[in-house]
Amino acid sequence: MALSIEQCDVLLKIIDEPNIATQTLEAIVNDVIKKFETTDYFKVGMCLIMLLQQDLIKSHEQRLVVITILHEMYRDESIGKTPFANAFVQLLSPTEQQGSPIGAPKLQYPGHLPKLTTQERNFLEQLISNVSKDVLLKRTATQILNADTIPSLNIDLSALQLSLADRKLEFSYMSKSGIPVTLSFPEKNINNYAPKEDHTNALIKSLMCGNDAPVNKVYKPEFVTLAPPLYNCQDEPVWFNMTHPTRHQIIYDATMCVPNMAGQEARHLLTKAYKSALSLQQQTRLVKELDNDPKLVYHIGLTPAKLPELVENNPIIAIEMLLKLMQSKQITEYFSVLVNMEMSLHSMEVVNRLTTTVDLPTAFVHLYISNCISTCETIKDRYMQNRLVRLVCVFLQSLIRNKIINVQELFIEVQAFCIEFSRIREAAALFRLLKQLESGEIGLPSPPSSSSTSKLKLDG
């Protein structure tokens, strides 16, 4: 993958300072295209990249020529599909570790690229964006560097960077761990460390030519693992030799391949429960199956999205399943769906039963009460409004008397609700209860134990 010595001489002559001083960038690029086959473009590009990485470019004019050749060799392809797209991204988005302009002190790391000047960066942006590219290429490198400032396009490279990152994911970890085998010599302030002029070309050829040229090589860490020790078997497993059949008994699992009919029946009943009310016998059978296998509730198809249908058609089944899901990671989602679903007698029955059986989060209970009050205030049908108000008032009295909620936290909202619907007997009774609690005329019984149950009994 390296250039021959003859090809290296041709390339060095093309980018030599005396040659580029009088030729336009377009002429130089045409010279490269004329003297190298298309199959050699990648090798030429890799050599030019190494010249940039190893700081072997003598002047800014040469650097501008090298960047132009790298781009124009693949000018018929989009920038993201060229093999040197990552080099252009590094040149336009230098990191803190990357080098400084030629002649300035810099911190090097393996494979670094030099930091461009403002004029060079703006030129590269124009080149990539094809903005006035034909005009720029008809100038020499010196004319471009000495011309008025080329405007910056501030092109967005985020899409190209993401594309390159996705491409890197396809590489193996070993490939991504490799570093170049050629390391730059640390810069010193002593002249003896700098390579002499006549040695530069020889150094370039040693890096870029020959079968063992390091231009395309990387160092990859070698992961050495010890061979596992041989297993020392003292005795063969007894079942290898069945010479004493009386000592061994074949154990066969008779339950293998037997379908779990209980799970199938429970799933069938639950599917039916979403659509219509189950008979008392079916409810009893389903609850019994759930009691026999506490983990069955996770495998028969109940999801938070299906909970409202189950609550409306079979509130008793909904209560039993929610109680068994209390340790589930999804229980918060079930509660959220429950308190936000449309208010009804069955939803209030489920919430009331849960509040007297387990400790529901206070925020959920308060949210459900607020939704109930909001529903009563916004419904247009007078008959349905009166009915829902009665349901809510009896529901709130049950929560207050069982000390499920702290009435002081909702006092203003509930009191305003009672005043708005004071024409309804249950609302007036709830208002009197609030006033008696406020004045201390009555006390409330002790809160129910976690095993107690309570059913909301309302007049239809």
Side-chain angles (χ1 to χ4, degrees):
M1 292 294 292
L3 293 176
S4 65
I5 295 179
E6 293 77 11
Q7 290 175 321
C8 185
D9 287 334
V10 172
L11 180 61
L12 293 177
K13 184 177 180 180
I14 291 175
I15 65 173
D16 194 27
E17 280 191 284
N19 183 55
I20 66 175
T22 57
Q23 292 197 70
T24 64
L25 295 176
E26 184 179 47
I28 296 173
V29 170
N30 291 335
D31 198 15
V32 172
I33 293 175
K34 179 181 178 181
K35 294 180 178 179
F36 290 94
E37 299 291 337
T38 306
T39 54
D40 294 328
Y41 286 175
F42 182 75
K43 293 187 287 186
V44 171
M46 290 299 297
C47 292
L48 295 178
I49 291 289
M50 175 168 279
L51 292 178
L52 292 173
Q53 290 175 332
Q54 304 305 324
D55 199 22
L56 294 173
I57 301 297
K58 301 177 182 178
S59 65
H60 289 282
E61 287 79 7
Q62 280 185 300
R63 189 159 70 184
L64 201 66
V65 168
V66 167
I67 293 173
T68 305
I69 295 173
L70 282 174
H71 181 270
E72 291 300 300
M73 283 193 301
Y74 297 91
R75 56 191 171 192
D76 295 332
E77 299 182 23
S78 62
I79 187 67
K81 295 182 179 179
T82 63
F84 305 112
N86 192 50
F88 293 128
V89 170
Q90 291 184 42
L91 288 170
L92 292 175
S93 304
T95 61
E96 291 298 328
Q97 290 182 343
Q98 286 181 312
S100 301
I102 297 174
K106 56 180 177 287
L107 295 175
Q108 294 184 358
Y109 65 92
H112 89 286
L113 287 172
K115 183 177 180 181
L116 301 182
T117 63
T118 302
Q119 193 79 341
E120 291 170 333
R121 176 187 172 86
N122 295 346
F123 170 78
L124 181 55
E125 290 180 346
Q126 301 272 354
L127 205 61
I128 292 177
S129 305
N130 289 323
V131 177
S132 304
K133 186 179 80 170
D134 295 337
V135 177
L136 291 175
L137 293 182
K138 293 186 182 301
R139 302 180 184 179
T140 65
T142 304
Q143 289 174 338
I144 291 176
L145 293 175
N146 295 334
D148 295 336
T149 303
I150 301 175
S152 175
L153 299 180
N154 293 322
I155 58 177
D156 184 10
L157 298 174
S158 57
L160 179 58
Q161 290 172 327
L162 287 175
S163 175
L164 293 174
D166 291 338
R167 192 186 302 175
K168 286 183 180 179
L169 293 177
E170 301 175 1
F171 298 163
S172 66
Y173 286 105
M174 288 289 291
S175 297
K176 290 186 286 188
S177 301
I179 62 173
V181 297
T182 306
L183 303 180
S184 300
F185 194 78
E187 287 198 17
K188 302 291 183 179
N189 293 326
I190 304 176
N191 293 332
N192 293 339
Y193 283 97
K196 296 181 179 180
E197 188 71 21
D198 54 350
H199 293 166
T200 302
N201 286 351
L203 174 62
I204 293 174
K205 291 178 182 180
S206 65
L207 293 175
M208 298 194 303
C209 302
N211 295 330
D212 296 327
V215 62
N216 296 318
K217 294 184 178 181
V218 295
Y219 171 76
K220 298 177 182 179
E222 181 181 0
F223 295 95
V224 180
T225 57
L226 297 177
L230 295 176
Y231 178 70
N232 185 15
C233 182
Q234 300 294 335
D235 298 305
E236 288 186 354
V238 293
W239 52 269
F240 273 13
N241 186 3
M242 301 290 288
T243 55
H244 302 284
T246 56
R247 296 182 183 180
H248 310 287
Q249 180 181 1
I250 297 177
I251 305 298
Y252 180 76
D253 186 0
T255 64
M256 288 193 305
C257 302
V258 176
N260 186 356
M261 300 305 296
Q264 290 185 5
E265 184 179 11
R267 182 183 291 273
H268 173 73
L269 290 175
L270 185 62
T271 302
K272 186 177 180 180
Y274 295 138
K275 302 176 181 179
S276 61
L278 299 179
S279 64
L280 182 60
Q281 182 181 5
Q282 290 174 326
Q283 290 185 32
T284 303
R285 192 158 66 247
L286 179 55
V287 172
K288 183 178 179 181
E289 296 293 347
L290 294 172
D291 290 339
N292 290 338
D293 185 1
K295 295 184 179 180
L296 185 61
V297 69
Y298 298 101
H299 308 294
I300 56 176
L302 179 63
T303 63
K306 295 180 180 179
L307 182 61
E309 298 176 354
L310 185 62
V311 169
E312 289 303 322
N313 291 296
N314 291 276
I316 299 300
I317 300 299
I319 292 170
E320 293 295 330
M321 298 196 74
L322 287 173
L323 290 176
K324 288 177 170 55
L325 286 168
M326 289 302 296
Q327 303 303 321
S328 169
K329 295 180 180 179
Q330 284 188 300
I331 191 60
T332 302
E333 297 180 39
Y334 285 105
F335 285 159
S336 180
V337 171
L338 180 62
V339 301
N340 285 289
M341 66 178 289
E342 185 178 352
M343 190 195 78
S344 66
L345 172 61
H346 286 169
S347 70
M348 281 194 286
E349 182 180 352
V350 172
V351 173
N352 186 66
R353 173 70 179 278
L354 290 175
T355 55
T356 57
T357 307
V358 296
D359 293 329
L360 289 184
T362 304
F364 283 109
V365 179
H366 288 183
L367 177 59
Y368 185 72
I369 293 173
S370 298
N371 289 343
C372 290
I373 292 175
S374 176
T375 302
C376 292
E377 293 172 345
T378 56
I379 193 169
K380 301 299 182 183
D381 189 310
R382 186 66 174 266
Y383 171 76
M384 288 300 300
Q385 185 183 58
N386 292 343
R387 185 174 184 273
L388 292 178
V389 169
R390 293 173 60 204
L391 291 174
V392 173
C393 289
V394 177
F395 173 63
L396 288 174
Q397 288 188 57
S398 173
L399 295 180
I400 294 172
R401 294 186 185 278
N402 288 309
K403 288 189 175 181
I404 302 301
I405 61 172
N406 184 358
V407 71
Q408 298 298 328
E409 297 178 2
L410 298 169
F411 187 84
I412 296 177
E413 186 177 4
V414 175
Q415 181 178 253
F417 171 74
C418 293
I419 294 174
E420 181 178 357
F421 298 102
S422 58
R423 68 180 186 277
I424 300 175
R425 181 180 58 190
E426 286 78 7
L430 178 59
F431 184 77
R432 286 194 299 273
L433 177 61
L434 294 177
K435 288 301 180 183
Q436 289 172 349
L437 290 172
E438 185 180 21
S439 63
E441 294 181 16
I442 62 172
L444 296 178
S446 300
S449 63
S450 60
S451 61
S452 64
T453 59
S454 174
K455 184 175 180 181
L456 194 64
K457 295 182 180 180
L458 301 173
D459 188 359

